């Protein structure tokens, strides 16, 4: 006799989005665009769902769906599972990739020309003496005459080997001790966390397990998060991963995240999103290096003050309220089990110190990659043009700093054709004498968009070749034939649809150009205010170090031509990329670097631009290409033959 | 229209037992005795459930039941809800109290004559300088010119007030900081945990909350657990609570608990039971002192090595395997959130140090109540006769110690009429010249049983009055009319049923007497071996300090008459009760005491009786009243006119 089981009618279908790790349940037949909007994911569409703009391209990775073909989606893409979200209905549990938000590739700058050449000049030491160490011990066999406790025998051996003053032992280690010391005949390894001359035993295992220990250095950017997985026994970077900060679904910049966090439960959500972002990067790095995340015992984190507050689940509200008082600038070591990073629960977390609410640990860590903290002779200027722009000027004896709201334009956000410096990004642009636009694409494929360094080039080339005026407006007499209509107004054609990855024209609009000008203006004017404040002219600056997410190569000439950087001798400039990440790496490697940044953060003078009288004037003057006062840019004057 | 809901047929009834916090589900009509046996609770019955022995008296506190009347249960008890478990069927969800295991009352010995008189002589200091302190701060209001972080402003104030070297801050405190500093205009209190000259901020709250901070001192005995709740701001004991160690359901002595812990999951159960026991005591103490357990920040725990291993959830197996190596003897501070005591999660836990597997932190803590650690002139003997017997001999310059398996007889366990020193216990016994037995009952009610001090008296009186011979056998020619038959053989009648609380004869049997003789013999022979080991005779002992759970008053004369204590001048003896609890209290109060016991534990010489050749001979010789070699007890010889 057979029983007929009633078929359960499945009403809701699951749609899973990567890279955001967001899932929603929707009824059969819902369009993907509605799913994305319901899930509050950052995918914009210009045509409003008519299937004409092609903005809502997504890739269906698994599951069945029903889609209409569209002229806005080229055939080759369709064959790889790309669809227009507005033209596609969900008929199954499906997994969708939002391609604009794909992983960002950040390269380690440890192997960069800059780092190799300047290694001796930078402030941070590049040597291995981490606060976390693995020590091998051989315990004697206990007997009736020598029956010290397991812990005591370890303590005795450690005191013999190392000059430790106060030695403590984590509770979780006590719980493993009896087994560990008996497993391999007293041959054990202990993992120690050192604080000055004190040490805590944070793990123990039989030597037969042949474990290595690892650490992570991580830069928590407002837009992107990047991470090095480091072998703590030789200092080698075993893997580098990076991705969008998933908090971006809750706001693009610091202020919008702080505002988002106001309502109950939302601070927790922001915290979870950054932990999720970091944990995915660790997972990926651990997989590629073939290690277990349990073997990661140390994390060195940098980020702006707000990011580090959210990372530690601390309310950031007071950061944006006068007098801008954060909960902490410097904090002692934190236990990972309080934070929940995917590493050993007994692992230790350290955060680079902030100077104030708007000059954070990313800046202090970044300074390690410059000579500024140890050089008494030269005066240096450090510019980090991230979502926020931060500047530092000074030398070993004195340091002055300020911050400005630059916006993430040069990181590829908020610009129609912008994207992070990853596969498919145009990273360099040149307009030839014949008017042809020449570009270089990362990994050489068809272009998907333009990253920071490409945008700097594009803006400079449009300007010096007379396609735009000093306000950033198109000069139609010159640019006319290159200008196309787009949903967001007139746009300069960078690549035609047939030549672009998404099959649609790649353009830069006047709105985008305004945005870029505002960003470069914010940075430059902050620079001016800082200099005036310390009573120095640009002529007194010996070196300029530029950090930020522009991409691999920043064309300094072009950055000067648009007025982002001051018009100084080109050999004074050093583009150092993600110095926050590299600074975290140096802090991870050697406690000496941590002490150095902690002392630095204490002694820096912070200028609050919000209340600085001259700033708005300076900013307004900088909203031109390269500047209202073009005399500040003699090389540009010369180029333009003014 | 009314819907008829189908009445759910309740099959199982819930039976809840206190003081064990055990619940089981049973079918309607199950006898309470079956319930108790199914739940593995320690209630013995002699008649096998016939309703004649009256051993299985329990009290039903709530719920309905069906019971048969029995001659073994007097009317007055029946009217208070007492029933014979074997004659009672469960017909409802009910709550049952096992009266033999009711709360034990331990009195603080801080107010005792001994402690008041000897305060200056004892080794521990009785002053308040705890490692946990509450400090009030007034933070300045932040401004644009003075916008240090919340944490920094606290750190600055603390450094101004106190000579702190390294100052750290718990993560949980960071999370509260922004709110706490703004709630009462910068008036905050911080709770600090000091380690030498370093300090950690473990809590913060606005002063307007008017919080006080507390600590607990706790003695974890194999049989009983006792606790003082202490105001850490003035050192005052606010409440004292004690109860049976609930682990007793898993075995009465250390070895049986270690054996119990062998199977998977059972270590965890033992751990949970002791945490449960302690948490109930804290709850009760906090309620009586009207404080919140959250305000308890510090716990000082003493106990034998096995108890402290189980307390910390550490496998005790190697304690009973040669060469008897525990996981730890001394351990650094432990975070309460790792252990889960009902106090502030950031609270700190310290454990008194052990000397070895069988001389634990209860002994080292107890030594603080004697002059032995600071007196260079006098040689003292310290005897702790608990479930295990431990002895220490020496002076400031040297200390030798050993342990013996005494058994819990003098704590009232394993003796038919035995009970802890709580309400209804006979605590003193005298046989008058006319043969009448006179006794004193704690709180003056009808006697329920006999506690340790009463058992010592009883044994001594039976012996010196000729009711028992030197083997502990009844001398029928003398005792005849006082001897009654009991389920466990011949017994000496202490109180007739009509005069006893349970309505049944209170007797001591030859089996009980053997048990008591074995216990006193174990202690005395350990004493002999220890003395021989250091090459001293009893004449070189200047003072004897006796600790243990005998009750409030131990009759030294009688303890000597039965051969439990050596026959020395009576004024050399000091009965100090629960010295482990008082030692923990002193350790809680002042770090100096902790340092003293830690150093003591390091320098003590431990003699392993198990492998000591002379011990078995000594033990056999001590299984007589007072001893085979009666010449060791001249005062007893004189009394017996031998």
């Amino acid at each position: 006799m057979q029983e007929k089981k009633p078929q359960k009618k499945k009403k809701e279908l699951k749609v899973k989005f990567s890279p955001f790790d967001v899932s929603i349940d929707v009824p059969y037949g819902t369009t993907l665009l509605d799913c994305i909007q319901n899930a509050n994911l950052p995918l914009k569409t210009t045509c409003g769902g008519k299937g004409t703009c092609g903005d809502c391209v997504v890739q269906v990775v698994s599951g069945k769906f029903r889609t209409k073909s569209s002229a806005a989606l080229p055939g080759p893409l369709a064959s790889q599972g790309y669809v227009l979200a507005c033209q596609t209905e969900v008929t199954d549990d499906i997994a969708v990739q939002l391609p604009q938000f794909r992983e960002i590739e950040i390269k380690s700058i440890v192997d960069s020309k800059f780092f190799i050449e300047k290694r001796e000049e930078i402030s941070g030491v590049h040597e291995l003496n981490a606060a976390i160490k693995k020590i091998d011990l051989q315990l004697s066999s206990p007997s009736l005459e020598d029956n010290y406790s397991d812990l005591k025998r370890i303590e005795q051996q450690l005191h013999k080997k190392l000059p430790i003053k106060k030695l403590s032992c984590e509770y979780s280690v006590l719980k493993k001790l009896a087994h560990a010391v008996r497993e391999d005949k007293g041959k054990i390894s202990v993992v120690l966390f050192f604080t000055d001359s004190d040490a805590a035993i944070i793990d123990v295992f039989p030597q037969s397990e042949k474990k290595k220990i690892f650490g992570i250095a991580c830069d928590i950017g407002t837009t992107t998060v990047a991470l090095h997985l480091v072998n703590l026994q030789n200092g080698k970077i075993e893997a580098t991963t990076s991705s969008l900060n998933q908090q971006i679904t809750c706001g693009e910049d610091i202020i919008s995240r702080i505002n988002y966090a106001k309502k109950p439960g939302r601070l927790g959500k922001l915290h979870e999103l950054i932990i999720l972002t970091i944990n995915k990067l660790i997972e990926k790095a651990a997989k590629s290096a073939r290690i277990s995340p349990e073997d990661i015992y140390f994390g060195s984190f940098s980020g702006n003050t707000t990011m580090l507050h959210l990372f530690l689940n601390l309310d950031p509200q007071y950061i944006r309220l006068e007098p801008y008082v954060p909960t902490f600038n410097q904090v002692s070591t934190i236990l990972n089990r309080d934070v929940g990073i995917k590493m050993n629960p007994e692992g230790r977390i350290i955060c680079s110190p902030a100077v104030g609410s708007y000059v954070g640990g990313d800046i202090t860590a970044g300074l390690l990659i410059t000579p500024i903290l140890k050089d008494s002779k030269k005066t240096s200027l450090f510019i980090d043009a991230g979502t926020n722009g931060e500047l530092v000027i000074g030398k070993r004896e004195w340091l002055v700093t300020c911050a400005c709201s630059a916006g993430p334009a040069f990181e590829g956000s908020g610009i129609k054709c912008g994207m992070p410096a990853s596969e498919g990004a145009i990273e360099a642009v040149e307009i030839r004498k014949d008017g042809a636009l020449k570009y270089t694409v990362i990994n050489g494929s068809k272009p998907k968009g333009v990253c920071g360094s490409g945008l700097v080039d594009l803006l400079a080339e449009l300007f010096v070749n007379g396609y735009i005026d000093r306000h950033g407006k198109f000069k139609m007499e010159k640019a006319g034939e290159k200008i196309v209509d787009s949903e967001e107004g007139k746009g300069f054609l960078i690549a035609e649809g047939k030549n672009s990855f998404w099959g649609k024209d790649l353009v830069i609009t006047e709105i985008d150009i305004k945005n870029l000008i505002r960003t470069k203006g914010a940075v430059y004017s902050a620079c001016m205010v800082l200099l005036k404040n310390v009573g120095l002219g640009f002529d007194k600056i010996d070196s300029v170090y530029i950090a930020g997410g522009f991409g691999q190569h920043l064309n300094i000439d072009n950055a000067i031509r648009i007025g982002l950087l001051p018009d100084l001798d080109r050999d004074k400039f050093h583009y150092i990329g993600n110095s926050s990440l590299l600074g975290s790496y140096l802090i991870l490697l050697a406690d000496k670097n941590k002490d150095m940044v902690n002392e630095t953060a204490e002694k820096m003078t912070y200028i609050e631009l919000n209340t600085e009288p001259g700033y708005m004037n300076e900013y307004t003057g900088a909203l031109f290409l390269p500047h209202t006062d073009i005399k500040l840019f003699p090389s540009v004057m010369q180029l333009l033959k003014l």
Side-chain angles (χ1 to χ4, degrees), chain A residues 281-345:
Chain A
L281 293 179
I282 292 177
E283 251 171 54
K284 204 185 156 205
K287 201 173 168 190
S288 105
R290 295 182 189 182
I291 69 142
S292 157
E294 280 283 314
D295 298 345
I296 303 172
Y297 289 93
F298 202 16
S300 163
F301 290 84
S302 300
N304 63 54
T305 311
T306 302
M307 285 305 115
L308 290 185
H309 274 61
L310 296 177
F311 171 59
L312 295 182
N313 206 0
L314 303 177
D315 190 351
Q317 294 312 323
Y318 299 101
I319 289 177
R320 57 172 275 285
L321 297 176
E322 212 181 300
Y324 317 112
V325 172
T327 291
F328 76 97
N329 282 327
Q330 294 195 21
V331 68
S332 38
T333 312
I334 287 168
L335 306 178
N336 178 43
R337 50 187 165 136
D338 283 335
V339 183
I341 290 298
K342 201 173 176 73
M343 54 187 244
N344 194 292

Side-chain angles (χ1 to χ4, degrees), chain A residues 9-191:
Chain A
K9 207 176 179 185
K10 210 176 177 182
K11 282 175 186 167
E12 299 270 282
L13 299 169
K14 191 169 288 299
V15 185
K16 200 182 150 194
F17 295 101
S18 54
F20 289 103
D21 212 54
V22 165
S23 290
I24 56 164
D25 293 328
V26 296
Y28 182 98
T30 308
T31 72
L32 267 182
L33 188 62
D34 286 336
C35 297
I36 289 166
Q37 283 166 348
N38 291 346
N40 207 20
L41 290 171
L43 189 76
K44 282 161 195 153
T45 162
T46 319
C47 69
K50 294 187 203 123
T52 56
C53 75
D55 283 357
C56 64
V57 175
V58 301
Q59 190 177 18
V60 180
V61 181
S62 71
K64 284 176 229 148
F65 57 91
R66 190 162 56 212
T67 192
K68 288 182 217 152
S69 67
S70 159
L73 186 78
L77 287 188
S79 68
Q80 292 167 57
Y82 286 96
V83 296
L84 295 183
C86 66
Q87 301 299 310
T88 307
E89 288 171 3
V90 179
T91 63
D92 192 8
D93 289 348
I94 71 175
V96 177
Q97 168 88 32
L98 305 188
Q100 275 105 316
F101 300 100
R102 259 211 177 135
E103 220 156 82
I104 298 146
E105 273 168 55
I106 295 243
K107 287 204 179 137
S108 163
I109 58 171
V110 175
D111 317 317
S112 75
K113 192 166 157 271
F114 167 78
F115 193 67
I116 289 163
E117 280 174 10
K118 302 283 178 181
R119 193 172 260 178
E120 297 305 312
E121 289 174 34
I122 65 166
S123 309
V125 298
H126 189 207
E127 64 183 31
L128 180 61
N129 186 15
I132 303 253
K133 290 188 174 66
K134 187 186 87 153
I135 310 285
D136 290 341
L137 300 175
Q138 168 66 63
L139 304 183
S140 57
S141 298
S143 65
L144 278 175
E145 287 67 44
D146 171 17
N147 59 359
Y148 287 113
S149 70
D150 296 336
L151 179 60
K152 183 77 185 176
R153 283 179 297 137
I154 290 176
E155 288 171 343
Q156 284 171 336
Q157 287 279 320
L158 279 174
H159 281 300
K160 253 186 235 169
K161 274 202 157 182
L162 298 164
I164 298 168
K165 224 173 102 194
K166 220 154 48 190
L167 180 62
S168 59
C169 178
E170 282 296 333
Y171 176 66
S172 62
V173 174
L174 277 184
K175 297 196 66 175
K176 295 171 160 186
L177 218 50
H179 172 78
V181 302
R182 285 165 184 85
E183 177 71 14
D184 190 20
K185 294 173 193 154
K187 282 200 193 81
I188 56 161
S189 301
V190 293
V191 181

Side-chain angles (χ1 to χ4, degrees), chain A residues 266-461:
Chain A
R266 286 182 166 186
L267 167 61
K269 187 180 171 192
L270 284 170
H271 171 67
E272 276 165 27
L273 285 172
I274 184 59
I275 299 299
L276 182 73
T277 305
I278 294 166
N279 285 351
K280 290 195 150 230
L281 293 179
I282 292 177
E283 251 171 54
K284 204 185 156 205
K287 201 173 168 190
S288 105
R290 295 182 189 182
I291 69 142
S292 157
E294 280 283 314
D295 298 345
I296 303 172
Y297 289 93
F298 202 16
S300 163
F301 290 84
S302 300
N304 63 54
T305 311
T306 302
M307 285 305 115
L308 290 185
H309 274 61
L310 296 177
F311 171 59
L312 295 182
N313 206 0
L314 303 177
D315 190 351
Q317 294 312 323
Y318 299 101
I319 289 177
R320 57 172 275 285
L321 297 176
E322 212 181 300
Y324 317 112
V325 172
T327 291
F328 76 97
N329 282 327
Q330 294 195 21
V331 68
S332 38
T333 312
I334 287 168
L335 306 178
N336 178 43
R337 50 187 165 136
D338 283 335
V339 183
I341 290 298
K342 201 173 176 73
M343 54 187 244
N344 194 292
E346 292 298 351
R348 299 308 207 244
I349 287 174
I350 52 175
C351 293
S352 303
V355 178
S357 278
Y358 292 103
V359 175
D362 46 349
I363 302 309
T364 57
L367 293 178
L368 284 174
I369 317 307
T370 74
I372 206 166
L373 306 181
K374 74 170 189 186
D375 195 330
S376 288
K377 289 182 205 143
K378 291 182 184 166
T379 303
S380 299
L381 175 63
F382 173 85
I383 301 174
D384 188 345
T387 312
N388 237 33
E390 293 98 349
L391 297 97
V392 182
I393 192 166
K395 51 171 72 171
R396 184 175 167 167
E397 286 71 19
W398 59 268
L399 291 164
V400 181
T401 183
C402 73
C404 61
S405 307
F410 287 119
E411 295 178 280
S413 281
I415 301 292
K416 182 82 181 158
C417 63
M419 69 176 284
S422 57
E423 189 180 310
I426 294 178
E427 57 172 349
V429 178
E430 193 191 326
I431 299 180
R432 287 199 196 144
K433 279 182 186 158
D434 64 2
L437 193 135
K438 196 186 141 194
Y439 52 73
T440 323
V441 179
I442 298 178
N443 287 2
S445 64
K446 284 187 174 182
K448 294 175 178 170
V450 190
C451 72
S453 58
L455 289 168
V456 168
D457 286 358
L458 186 58
L459 195 60
E461 290 289 301

Side-chain angles (χ1 to χ4, degrees), chain A residues 459-514:
Chain A
L459 195 60
E461 290 289 301
L462 290 176
F463 174 54
V464 299
N465 288 298
Y467 292 89
I468 53 175
D469 65 16
R470 288 180 57 197
H471 299 272
K473 295 266 176 210
F474 290 123
K475 286 156 101 173
M476 293 306 288
E477 66 279 12
K478 171 85 185 187
E481 61 178 27
K482 290 278 194 172
I483 301 299
V484 294
D485 277 329
S486 84
E487 289 88 349
E488 287 165 357
K490 283 188 290 184
F492 180 86
L493 187 68
I494 305 163
E496 278 183 78
K498 63 179 180 192
N499 296 323
S500 90
F501 184 85
W502 303 118
K504 52 182 234 170
D505 293 349
L506 216 55
V507 300
I508 184 162
T509 66
E510 283 183 341
I511 295 171
D512 295 335
I513 293 170
K514 265 256 135 64

